[in-house]
Amino acid sequence: MLAAPINPSDINMIQGNYGLLPKLPAVGGNEGVGQVVAVGGSVTGVKPGDWVIPANAGLGTWRTEAVFSEEAVISIPSDLPLQSAATLSVNPCTAYRMLMDFEQLQPGDCVIQNASNSGVGQAVIQIAAALGLRTINVVRDRPDFQKLTDRLKSLGAEHVLTEEELRKPEMKNFFKDMPPPRLALNCVGGKSSTELLRHLAPGGTMVTYGGMAKQPVIASVSQLIFKDLKLRGFWLSQWKQDHSPAQFKELILTLCGLISRGQLTAPACSEVPLQDYQRALEASMQPFVSSKQILTMC
């Protein structure tokens, strides 16, 4: 293993409240990048020196070395930046599929999302920009809001708003210059998701892929009847079950193309040596942290 991030879903898995739980004892970590050092005699898909990422969740990436079957990994270009390779197989995949699979969006269409500074949020901003989509990016108010706004706009965000701004009556004027979003991406739940629904175009879709507030999604009856809004969910592990390994590999290579063209960068990261994992785990659970903790093994 070369490097592996700490994602919220990794913490949920350790806590035992995730949709996929490995048999115990288990190694933590569902994402990362490794370099092949040796292969068995009948292995044809990978060779020593190749960079590989997990084909599925539950592989256990927080370790220095491992023996896997060749079906358990996918080879990727070894000239990718290390942080991009280590964070490739979860958040960017989730972002890309949500943008592509729920609404037939055209260049100029608008997407609204909360938790916009998360790993998925940063990937949504960049992939949407590459597709010619406009984004409204909602974040919690914080002391360094302007600094965060500047960083998200440097990634391609068109608008960055706080949860409080989204609730203000003046938002009506905002949408005079913006088409109402046809797609909302919800990683929070509770009041935040209710606000996203309020601004969706009639017939639009809100996709929930996380629940950081640990509160339910509440939709009013009038939104469902008179605006015909659709509530959907997305879980990458389920998408993989419903699609072939070849289709996942195609998705990975599409994202590698965006990275090589400079259209998709890794989220803000802090590299921590594996032996300091305790410090990295504690840092990953602090509020308002816009930097993803990446365990490095080399």
Coordinates of all heavy atoms in Angstrom, one line a residue, residues 77-146:
P77 N -3.4 4.3 -14.1 CA -2.1 4.9 -14.6 C -1.3 5.3 -13.4 O -1.7 5.9 -12.4 CB -2.6 6.1 -15.4 CG -4.0 5.8 -15.8 CD -4.6 5.0 -14.7
S78 N 0.0 4.9 -13.4 CA 0.9 5.2 -12.3 C 1.5 6.6 -12.3 O 2.3 7.0 -11.5 CB 2.0 4.2 -12.3 OG 2.8 4.2 -13.5
D79 N 1.1 7.4 -13.3 CA 1.5 8.8 -13.4 C 0.5 9.8 -12.8 O 0.7 11.0 -12.8 CB 1.9 9.2 -14.8 CG 0.7 9.1 -15.8 OD1 -0.4 8.6 -15.3 OD2 0.8 9.5 -16.9
L80 N -0.5 9.2 -12.2 CA -1.5 10.1 -11.5 C -0.8 10.7 -10.2 O 0.0 10.0 -9.6 CB -2.7 9.3 -11.0 CG -3.7 8.8 -12.1 CD1 -4.8 8.0 -11.4 CD2 -4.2 9.9 -13.0
P81 N -1.2 11.9 -9.8 CA -0.7 12.3 -8.4 C -1.2 11.3 -7.4 O -2.3 10.8 -7.4 CB -1.4 13.7 -8.3 CG -1.8 14.1 -9.7 CD -2.0 12.9 -10.4
L82 N -0.3 11.1 -6.4 CA -0.6 10.1 -5.4 C -1.9 10.4 -4.6 O -2.7 9.4 -4.4 CB 0.6 10.0 -4.3 CG 0.4 9.0 -3.2 CD1 0.5 7.6 -3.8 CD2 1.5 9.2 -2.2
Q83 N -2.1 11.6 -4.2 CA -3.4 11.9 -3.5 C -4.6 11.7 -4.4 O -5.6 11.2 -3.9 CB -3.3 13.4 -3.0 CG -2.3 13.6 -1.9 CD -2.3 15.0 -1.4 OE1 -3.1 15.9 -1.9 NE2 -1.6 15.3 -0.3
S84 N -4.5 12.0 -5.7 CA -5.6 11.7 -6.6 C -5.9 10.2 -6.7 O -7.1 9.8 -6.7 CB -5.4 12.3 -8.0 OG -5.3 13.7 -7.9
A85 N -4.8 9.4 -6.8 CA -5.0 8.0 -6.9 C -5.6 7.4 -5.7 O -6.5 6.5 -5.7 CB -3.7 7.3 -7.2
A86 N -5.1 7.9 -4.5 CA -5.6 7.4 -3.2 C -7.1 7.7 -3.0 O -7.7 7.0 -2.2 CB -4.7 7.9 -2.1
T87 N -7.6 8.8 -3.5 CA -9.0 9.2 -3.3 C -9.9 9.1 -4.5 O -10.9 9.7 -4.6 CB -9.0 10.7 -2.8 OG1 -8.4 11.5 -3.9 CG2 -8.2 10.9 -1.5
L88 N -9.5 8.1 -5.4 CA -10.2 8.0 -6.7 C -11.5 7.2 -6.7 O -12.4 7.5 -7.3 CB -9.2 7.4 -7.7 CG -9.7 7.1 -9.1 CD1 -10.2 8.4 -9.8 CD2 -8.6 6.5 -9.9
S89 N -11.5 6.1 -5.8 CA -12.5 5.1 -6.1 C -13.8 5.2 -5.3 O -14.7 4.4 -5.5 CB -11.9 3.7 -5.7 OG -11.5 3.6 -4.3
V90 N -13.9 6.3 -4.5 CA -15.1 6.5 -3.7 C -15.8 7.8 -4.1 O -16.9 7.8 -4.7 CB -14.9 6.4 -2.2 CG1 -16.2 6.6 -1.4 CG2 -14.4 5.0 -1.8
N91 N -15.3 8.9 -3.6 CA -16.0 10.2 -3.8 C -16.1 10.6 -5.2 O -17.2 11.0 -5.6 CB -15.2 11.3 -2.9 CG -15.4 11.0 -1.4 OD1 -16.3 10.4 -1.0 ND2 -14.4 11.6 -0.7
P92 N -15.1 10.6 -6.0 CA -15.3 11.1 -7.4 C -16.3 10.2 -8.2 O -17.1 10.6 -9.0 CB -13.9 11.0 -8.1 CG -13.0 11.1 -6.9 CD -13.7 10.4 -5.8
C93 N -16.3 8.8 -7.9 CA -17.2 7.9 -8.5 C -18.6 8.2 -8.1 O -19.5 8.3 -9.0 CB -16.9 6.5 -8.1 SG -15.3 5.9 -8.8
T94 N -18.8 8.5 -6.8 CA -20.2 8.9 -6.4 C -20.6 10.2 -7.0 O -21.8 10.3 -7.5 CB -20.1 9.1 -4.8 OG1 -19.8 7.8 -4.2 CG2 -21.5 9.6 -4.3
A95 N -19.7 11.2 -7.1 CA -20.1 12.5 -7.7 C -20.5 12.3 -9.2 O -21.5 12.8 -9.6 CB -18.9 13.4 -7.6
Y96 N -19.7 11.6 -9.9 CA -19.9 11.4 -11.4 C -21.2 10.7 -11.6 O -22.0 11.1 -12.5 CB -18.8 10.6 -12.0 CG -18.8 10.5 -13.5 CD1 -18.3 11.5 -14.3 CD2 -19.4 9.5 -14.1 CE1 -18.3 11.5 -15.7 CE2 -19.5 9.4 -15.5 CZ -18.9 10.4 -16.3 OH -19.0 10.4 -17.7
R97 N -21.5 9.6 -10.9 CA -22.7 8.8 -11.1 C -23.9 9.6 -10.8 O -25.0 9.6 -11.5 CB -22.7 7.5 -10.3 CG -21.6 6.5 -10.8 CD -22.1 5.6 -11.9 NE -22.8 6.1 -13.0 CZ -22.2 6.2 -14.3 NH1 -21.0 5.8 -14.5 NH2 -22.9 6.7 -15.3
M98 N -23.9 10.4 -9.7 CA -25.1 11.2 -9.3 C -25.4 12.3 -10.3 O -26.5 12.6 -10.6 CB -24.9 11.8 -7.9 CG -24.9 10.8 -6.8 SD -25.1 11.5 -5.1 CE -23.6 12.6 -5.0
L99 N -24.3 12.9 -10.9 CA -24.5 13.9 -12.0 C -25.1 13.3 -13.3 O -25.8 13.9 -14.0 CB -23.2 14.6 -12.3 CG -22.8 15.6 -11.2 CD1 -21.3 16.1 -11.4 CD2 -23.7 16.8 -11.1
M100 N -24.8 12.0 -13.5 CA -25.1 11.4 -14.8 C -26.4 10.6 -14.8 O -27.1 10.4 -15.8 CB -24.0 10.5 -15.3 CG -22.6 11.2 -15.5 SD -22.7 12.4 -16.7 CE -22.8 11.5 -18.2
D101 N -26.8 10.0 -13.6 CA -27.7 8.9 -13.6 C -29.2 9.3 -13.2 O -30.1 8.5 -13.4 CB -27.3 7.8 -12.6 CG -26.0 7.1 -13.1 OD1 -25.6 7.4 -14.3 OD2 -25.5 6.3 -12.4
F102 N -29.4 10.5 -12.7 CA -30.7 10.8 -12.2 C -31.5 11.8 -13.0 O -32.7 11.7 -13.1 CB -30.6 11.3 -10.8 CG -30.1 10.2 -9.8 CD1 -28.8 10.1 -9.6 CD2 -31.0 9.3 -9.3 CE1 -28.3 9.0 -8.7 CE2 -30.6 8.3 -8.4 CZ -29.3 8.2 -8.1
E103 N -30.9 12.8 -13.6 CA -31.5 13.8 -14.5 C -30.7 13.9 -15.8 O -29.5 13.8 -15.7 CB -31.6 15.1 -13.8 CG -32.6 15.2 -12.6 CD -34.0 15.3 -13.1 OE1 -34.3 15.7 -14.3 OE2 -34.9 15.0 -12.3
Q104 N -31.4 14.1 -16.9 CA -30.6 14.3 -18.2 C -30.2 15.7 -18.3 O -30.9 16.6 -18.9 CB -31.6 13.9 -19.3 CG -32.0 12.4 -19.3 CD -30.8 11.4 -19.3 OE1 -30.0 11.5 -20.2 NE2 -30.8 10.5 -18.4
L105 N -29.1 16.0 -17.6 CA -28.7 17.4 -17.6 C -27.9 17.9 -18.8 O -27.2 17.1 -19.4 CB -27.8 17.6 -16.3 CG -28.4 17.3 -15.0 CD1 -27.4 17.4 -13.9 CD2 -29.5 18.3 -14.7
Q106 N -28.1 19.1 -19.2 CA -27.5 19.7 -20.4 C -26.6 20.8 -19.9 O -26.8 21.4 -18.9 CB -28.5 20.2 -21.4 CG -29.6 19.2 -21.8 CD -29.0 18.0 -22.6 OE1 -28.0 18.2 -23.3 NE2 -29.5 16.8 -22.4
P107 N -25.5 21.1 -20.7 CA -24.7 22.3 -20.4 C -25.6 23.5 -20.1 O -26.5 23.8 -20.9 CB -23.8 22.5 -21.6 CG -23.7 21.1 -22.2 CD -25.1 20.5 -22.0
G108 N -25.3 24.2 -19.0 CA -26.1 25.4 -18.6 C -27.1 25.1 -17.6 O -27.6 26.0 -16.9
D109 N -27.4 23.8 -17.4 CA -28.4 23.4 -16.3 C -27.7 23.6 -15.0 O -26.4 23.6 -14.9 CB -28.8 21.9 -16.5 CG -29.8 21.8 -17.6 OD1 -30.4 22.8 -18.0 OD2 -30.1 20.6 -18.0
C110 N -28.5 23.6 -13.9 CA -28.0 24.0 -12.6 C -28.2 22.8 -11.6 O -29.2 22.1 -11.6 CB -28.8 25.2 -12.1 SG -28.3 25.8 -10.5
V111 N -27.2 22.6 -10.8 CA -27.2 21.6 -9.7 C -27.0 22.4 -8.4 O -26.1 23.3 -8.3 CB -26.1 20.6 -9.9 CG1 -26.0 19.6 -8.8 CG2 -26.2 19.9 -11.3
I112 N -27.7 22.0 -7.3 CA -27.5 22.5 -6.0 C -27.1 21.4 -5.1 O -27.6 20.3 -5.2 CB -28.8 23.2 -5.5 CG1 -28.5 24.0 -4.2 CG2 -30.0 22.3 -5.3 CD1 -29.6 24.9 -3.7
Q113 N -26.2 21.7 -4.1 CA -25.7 20.6 -3.2 C -25.4 21.2 -1.9 O -25.0 22.4 -1.8 CB -24.5 19.9 -3.8 CG -23.2 20.8 -3.9 CD -21.9 19.9 -4.1 OE1 -21.9 18.7 -3.9 NE2 -20.9 20.6 -4.6
N114 N -25.5 20.4 -0.8 CA -25.0 20.8 0.5 C -23.7 20.0 0.8 O -23.3 19.2 0.0 CB -26.1 20.6 1.6 CG -26.6 19.2 1.7 OD1 -26.0 18.2 1.2 ND2 -27.8 19.0 2.2
A115 N -23.1 20.3 1.9 CA -21.8 19.7 2.3 C -20.8 19.9 1.1 O -20.1 19.0 0.8 CB -21.9 18.3 2.7
S116 N -20.8 21.1 0.5 CA -20.1 21.3 -0.7 C -18.5 21.2 -0.6 O -17.8 21.1 -1.6 CB -20.5 22.6 -1.3 OG -21.9 22.7 -1.5
N117 N -18.1 21.3 0.7 CA -16.6 21.2 0.9 C -16.2 19.8 1.2 O -15.0 19.6 1.5 CB -16.2 22.2 2.0 CG -16.9 21.8 3.4 OD1 -18.1 21.6 3.4 ND2 -16.1 21.8 4.4
S118 N -17.1 18.9 1.2 CA -16.7 17.5 1.5 C -16.0 16.9 0.2 O -15.9 17.6 -0.8 CB -18.0 16.6 1.7 OG -18.8 16.6 0.5
G119 N -15.5 15.7 0.4 CA -14.8 15.1 -0.7 C -15.7 14.9 -2.0 O -15.3 15.3 -3.1
V120 N -16.9 14.5 -1.8 CA -17.8 14.3 -2.9 C -18.2 15.7 -3.4 O -18.2 16.0 -4.6 CB -19.1 13.6 -2.4 CG1 -20.2 13.7 -3.5 CG2 -18.8 12.2 -2.1
G121 N -18.4 16.7 -2.5 CA -18.8 18.0 -2.9 C -17.8 18.7 -3.8 O -18.1 19.3 -4.8
Q122 N -16.5 18.5 -3.4 CA -15.4 19.1 -4.3 C -15.3 18.4 -5.6 O -15.1 19.1 -6.6 CB -14.1 19.0 -3.5 CG -14.0 19.9 -2.3 CD -12.7 19.7 -1.5 OE1 -11.6 19.9 -2.1 NE2 -12.8 19.4 -0.2
A123 N -15.6 17.1 -5.6 CA -15.6 16.4 -6.9 C -16.8 16.8 -7.8 O -16.6 17.0 -9.0 CB -15.6 14.9 -6.7
V124 N -18.0 17.0 -7.2 CA -19.1 17.5 -7.9 C -18.9 18.8 -8.6 O -19.2 19.0 -9.8 CB -20.4 17.6 -6.9 CG1 -21.5 18.4 -7.6 CG2 -20.9 16.2 -6.6
I125 N -18.3 19.7 -7.8 CA -17.9 21.1 -8.4 C -17.1 20.9 -9.6 O -17.4 21.5 -10.7 CB -17.2 21.9 -7.3 CG1 -18.2 22.3 -6.2 CG2 -16.6 23.1 -8.0 CD1 -17.5 23.0 -5.0
Q126 N -16.0 20.1 -9.6 CA -15.1 20.0 -10.7 C -15.7 19.3 -11.9 O -15.5 19.7 -13.0 CB -13.8 19.3 -10.2 CG -13.1 20.2 -9.2 CD -11.9 19.4 -8.6 OE1 -10.8 19.4 -9.2 NE2 -12.1 18.8 -7.5
I127 N -16.4 18.1 -11.6 CA -16.9 17.3 -12.7 C -18.1 18.1 -13.4 O -18.2 18.1 -14.6 CB -17.4 16.0 -12.2 CG1 -16.2 15.2 -11.7 CG2 -18.2 15.2 -13.3 CD1 -16.6 13.9 -10.9
A128 N -18.9 18.8 -12.6 CA -20.0 19.7 -13.1 C -19.4 20.7 -14.0 O -19.9 21.0 -15.1 CB -20.8 20.3 -12.0
A129 N -18.3 21.4 -13.6 CA -17.7 22.4 -14.4 C -17.2 21.8 -15.7 O -17.3 22.4 -16.8 CB -16.5 23.1 -13.7
A130 N -16.6 20.6 -15.7 CA -16.1 20.0 -16.9 C -17.3 19.6 -17.8 O -17.1 19.6 -19.1 CB -15.3 18.7 -16.5
L131 N -18.5 19.4 -17.3 CA -19.6 19.1 -18.1 C -20.4 20.3 -18.5 O -21.5 20.2 -19.2 CB -20.6 18.1 -17.3 CG -20.0 16.7 -16.9 CD1 -20.9 16.0 -16.0 CD2 -19.8 15.9 -18.2
G132 N -20.0 21.5 -18.1 CA -20.7 22.7 -18.5 C -21.9 23.0 -17.6 O -22.7 23.8 -18.0
L133 N -22.0 22.4 -16.4 CA -23.1 22.6 -15.5 C -22.8 23.7 -14.5 O -21.6 23.9 -14.1 CB -23.4 21.3 -14.8 CG -23.7 20.1 -15.6 CD1 -23.8 18.8 -14.7 CD2 -25.0 20.3 -16.4
R134 N -23.8 24.4 -14.1 CA -23.7 25.5 -13.1 C -24.0 24.9 -11.7 O -24.9 24.1 -11.6 CB -24.6 26.6 -13.5 CG -24.4 27.1 -14.9 CD -25.4 28.2 -15.3 NE -25.3 29.4 -14.5 CZ -26.0 30.5 -14.7 NH1 -27.0 30.5 -15.6 NH2 -25.8 31.6 -14.0
T135 N -23.2 25.4 -10.7 CA -23.4 24.8 -9.4 C -23.7 25.9 -8.3 O -23.1 26.9 -8.3 CB -22.2 24.0 -8.9 OG1 -21.0 24.8 -9.0 CG2 -22.0 22.7 -9.7
I136 N -24.7 25.5 -7.4 CA -25.0 26.3 -6.2 C -24.5 25.5 -5.1 O -25.0 24.4 -4.9 CB -26.5 26.7 -6.1 CG1 -26.9 27.4 -7.3 CG2 -26.7 27.4 -4.8 CD1 -28.4 27.6 -7.4
N137 N -23.5 25.9 -4.3 CA -22.8 25.1 -3.3 C -23.1 25.7 -1.9 O -22.7 26.8 -1.6 CB -21.3 25.1 -3.7 CG -21.1 24.5 -5.1 OD1 -21.1 23.4 -5.3 ND2 -20.9 25.4 -6.0
V138 N -23.8 24.9 -1.1 CA -24.2 25.3 0.2 C -23.2 24.7 1.3 O -22.9 23.5 1.2 CB -25.6 24.9 0.5 CG1 -26.1 25.4 1.9 CG2 -26.5 25.3 -0.6
V139 N -22.8 25.5 2.2 CA -21.9 25.1 3.3 C -22.4 25.7 4.6 O -23.1 26.6 4.6 CB -20.4 25.5 3.1 CG1 -19.8 24.8 1.8 CG2 -20.3 27.0 3.0
R140 N -22.0 25.1 5.7 CA -22.3 25.7 7.0 C -21.5 26.9 7.2 O -20.3 27.0 6.7 CB -21.9 24.7 8.1 CG -22.9 23.5 8.3 CD -22.4 22.5 9.3 NE -21.2 21.9 9.0 CZ -20.5 21.1 9.9 NH1 -21.0 20.9 11.1 NH2 -19.4 20.5 9.5
D141 N -22.1 27.9 7.9 CA -21.3 29.1 8.2 C -20.2 28.8 9.1 O -20.2 27.9 9.9 CB -22.2 30.2 8.9 CG -21.7 31.6 8.8 OD1 -20.6 31.8 8.1 OD2 -22.3 32.5 9.4
R142 N -19.0 29.5 8.9 CA -17.8 29.2 9.7 C -16.9 30.4 9.7 O -17.1 31.3 8.9 CB -17.1 28.0 9.0 CG -16.6 28.3 7.6 CD -16.2 27.1 6.9 NE -17.4 26.3 6.7 CZ -17.4 24.9 6.7 NH1 -16.2 24.3 6.8 NH2 -18.5 24.2 6.5
P143 N -16.0 30.5 10.6 CA -15.1 31.6 10.7 C -14.3 31.9 9.4 O -14.1 33.1 9.1 CB -14.1 31.3 11.9 CG -14.8 30.2 12.7 CD -15.7 29.5 11.7
D144 N -13.9 30.9 8.7 CA -13.1 31.1 7.5 C -13.9 31.0 6.2 O -13.4 30.5 5.2 CB -11.9 30.2 7.5 CG -12.3 28.7 7.5 OD1 -13.5 28.4 7.7 OD2 -11.5 27.8 7.2
F145 N -15.2 31.5 6.3 CA -16.1 31.2 5.2 C -15.5 31.8 3.9 O -15.6 31.2 2.8 CB -17.5 31.9 5.5 CG -18.4 31.8 4.3 CD1 -18.9 30.6 3.9 CD2 -18.8 33.0 3.6 CE1 -19.8 30.6 2.8 CE2 -19.6 32.9 2.6 CZ -20.1 31.7 2.1
Q146 N -14.9 33.0 3.9 CA -14.4 33.6 2.7 C -13.3 32.8 2.1 O -13.2 32.6 0.9 CB -14.0 35.1 3.0 CG -13.7 35.9 1.7 CD -14.8 35.9 0.7 OE1 -15.9 36.2 1.1 NE2 -14.6 35.6 -0.5

